Every structure is written in structure tokens, then in C-alpha cells.
Amino acid sequence: MRLLITGAAGGVGTLLRPRLAREGRILRLFDLAPIEPGPAEEAVTGSVTDPDAMAKAVDGADAVIHLGGHSLERPWADILDTNINGTYVVLEAARKAGIEHVVLASSNHAAGFHPRNGSADGQAPDYLFPRPDTYYGVSKVVVEALGSLYHDRYGLDVTCLRIGTCFERPHDVRTLSTWLSPDDCARLVEAALTAEGFHVVWGVSDNTRRWWSLDEARSIGFQPRDDAEAYAPGLIAEFGEPDPASMAHALLGGTFCRPELDVDRLTERFGR
Ligand code: 15L
């Protein structure tokens, strides 16, 4: 079986590559940046916004993991083109190729302006209504909406992962709550690849300080094994205890909610 991964050269793609390798599985790695393929890998250079390139990339693939796009805030035109239009192009190509299973990288920033303590048990529920914190977060809301449409209209099985913080290890006190370990990320993707229907799940490890529900992720077969708490003593010694009043801890999206990301300042930074 052949798995197409878009954005394969990015942070999450790079962490997933070795972890998704399986006997009898070929990983087709698609990215703007050239990739040196390893054993049982194929590399394709191209843009998710290019319908011809995507049509070729999905040819012969059995499932798609769509990670491609900007992973941080950018001016609206960039987000619109790469994240929003790019996801449409990927789903169109998948549908036309008869691909049944698609996993879409959403993000916690689709709902980042929700207060962290908005629910009784301190854990944000599954299918929390969108409350994006950035244009990037808006694009992830649209990613989820497109996934929903392609499920309902065309019958694709689509699972959207509202990923927390997927890095090798947690790096500050917020990430003690939001960390998705690379191994758990691979477990979640494997579960999503076989899930039927349409789902939106939080992508987070079973962290002691977790602030998102894992119920829906568990319902599709995800069995997380990691907990960021092992890193707590070191990170708290370095950064201090989490301050519940600070933006990093008061809102689900943390510092993505900060005014430095307002459009005028973004324009100053990116020059458009
Ligand atoms: C994201 O969606 C980003 O892509 C990633 O770089 C992290 O910043 C993450 O969210 C997070 O919330 O920690």
C-alpha cells in the first residue's frame, strides 16, 4: 500500500516518516522542498496548489496524509493560497483518484480563542466550535469544513487532527499540556487512516496537564502512551510554574492570540 504525505519535509512530516514505515508500505513524500528518499520511499517535488502535480502525486496512492501548508501565522494571501486553496486541490485530486482515506492536519489554533477553563472538567470537548486565533487558525477551520464536505458529498473517510504541539519533546510549560509526542502522533495517524466516516479529534498525548479531550481520538482507536509530565521538573525549574492568568495559559491558542499577530503588524513583518 502506498501512503501519500504532503508537506513531508516539514516538522511533523519529518517526525512521522520513520514512524510510519511498515513492511509492504511505500511512503510517497510530497513537498516543495526536495527530499532524499530512503528505502520504501518515493519523493515528489511540487506544490499542493498545483492541480496537475497533485493529480500525479495521488496516482497509485491508497491514502493521503495532508500536512502541507504554512504552520504559523502569515499574511492572508499566503494562507488563502497555500492552506485553503491547497487543501481543496489535495481533496479534489484524492476524490478524482478514488482515494477513500484522507487524514488532514488541523490545529488547536482552529479554536485558539476559547478560554482554557471554559469547560467544567478543565478539558475542552471534542468538536469544540471554531474560534480561530489567526488567519492560520481560520485556514484550519476551512480544512475541517472541506473535509466534512468531501465526506458528505463524495463519501471519503476523513479525519481531521487538531494537533497540539508536535515536537520531539515539550519545550516550555504550555507544552506540558499541549504536547503530542512524535510516537503518539504516528499512533494517531495510524488510527485515523483506518477510521470510517468524518471525525475531528484533538491531537495530544495523554499528558497529566492535558486541556483537550481524548474521547473522540480514543473512539477511532488511538491509544496514546506518552505523557509530557516526565519533562515537568526540568521545564518548571527553567521557566517557573504556569501562570494561569498569562495568555499562554488563559487561552487555548496561547500566544497565537497576542496582538503582535494583528494584520497591520503582520504586514510590517512580511512587507505586504
Ligand atoms: C501549531 O499549529 C503550529 O504549527 C506549531 O508550530 C505549534 O506552534 C503549535 O501549533 C502549538 O500550538 O504549540
Side-chain angles (χ1 to χ4, degrees), residues 144-222:
E144 294 176 2
L146 282 167
S148 175
L149 177 69
Y150 275 72
H151 168 67
D152 285 331
R153 189 171 286 280
Y154 304 113
L156 275 71
D157 292 314
V158 179
T159 299
C160 306
L161 313 179
R162 284 186 174 176
I163 297 172
T165 310
C166 186
F167 289 97
E168 199 68 65
R169 57 187 64 80
H171 51 76
D172 58 18
V173 284
R174 175 178 182 266
T175 54
L176 293 174
S177 302
T178 62
W179 190 49
L180 174 64
S181 76
D183 289 346
D184 278 345
C185 187
R187 291 180 191 109
L188 182 58
V189 166
E190 293 289 353
L193 281 170
T194 56
E196 292 182 358
F198 173 74
H199 304 268
V200 180
V201 305
W202 293 107
V204 65
S205 285
D206 193 8
N207 304 321
T208 304
R209 300 169 195 237
R210 168 167 61 81
W211 59 46
W212 297 308
S213 162
L214 274 174
D215 294 348
E216 185 70 355
R218 286 196 165 107
S219 83
I220 63 163
F222 176 46

Side-chain angles (χ1 to χ4, degrees), residues 71-72 107-109 136 164-165 167 174 178 256:
S71 64
L72 296 170
S107 167
N108 71 92
H109 299 291
Y136 165 70
T165 310
F167 289 97
R174 175 178 182 266
T178 62
F256 276 52

Side-chain angles (χ1 to χ4, degrees), residues 241-261:
E241 285 289 344
D243 170 8
S246 71
M247 185 179 284
H249 297 278
L251 298 167
L252 291 182
T255 55
F256 276 52
C257 302
R258 70 194 191 278
E260 283 73 12
L261 295 180

Side-chain angles (χ1 to χ4, degrees), residues 9-177:
V12 174
T14 303
L15 291 169
L16 282 177
R17 247 169 98 181
R19 293 173 169 89
L20 293 180
R22 296 277 181 288
E23 187 72 36
R25 179 184 280 176
I26 294 168
L27 300 183
R28 181 174 287 168
L29 308 169
F30 184 92
D31 205 287
L32 269 180
I35 295 176
E36 187 61 47
E41 288 182 341
E42 301 167 346
V44 184
T45 306
S47 167
V48 291
T49 63
D50 177 345
D52 293 335
M54 278 318 305
K56 285 192 196 117
V58 293
D59 188 34
D62 298 288
V64 179
I65 303 168
H66 175 43
L67 309 173
H70 297 293
S71 64
L72 296 170
E73 183 60 321
R74 301 281 305 193
W76 176 247
D78 297 354
I79 293 289
L80 183 61
D81 184 39
T82 310
N83 289 26
I84 294 180
N85 188 47
T87 302
Y88 157 75
V89 170
V90 170
L91 283 167
E92 262 300 281
R95 166 183 86 83
K96 287 184 183 154
I99 288 174
E100 285 172 16
H101 281 283
V102 178
V103 180
L104 298 175
S106 181
S107 167
N108 71 92
H109 299 291
F113 261 117
H114 278 283
R116 182 174 57 83
N117 281 326
S119 62
D121 64 358
Q123 282 187 14
D126 292 297
Y127 300 101
L128 183 64
F129 194 79
R131 206 163 165 184
D133 54 28
T134 40
Y135 295 145
Y136 165 70
V138 169
S139 77
K140 295 305 184 177
V141 176
V142 179
V143 164
E144 294 176 2
L146 282 167
S148 175
L149 177 69
Y150 275 72
H151 168 67
D152 285 331
R153 189 171 286 280
Y154 304 113
L156 275 71
D157 292 314
V158 179
T159 299
C160 306
L161 313 179
R162 284 186 174 176
I163 297 172
T165 310
C166 186
F167 289 97
E168 199 68 65
R169 57 187 64 80
H171 51 76
D172 58 18
V173 284
R174 175 178 182 266
T175 54
L176 293 174
S177 302

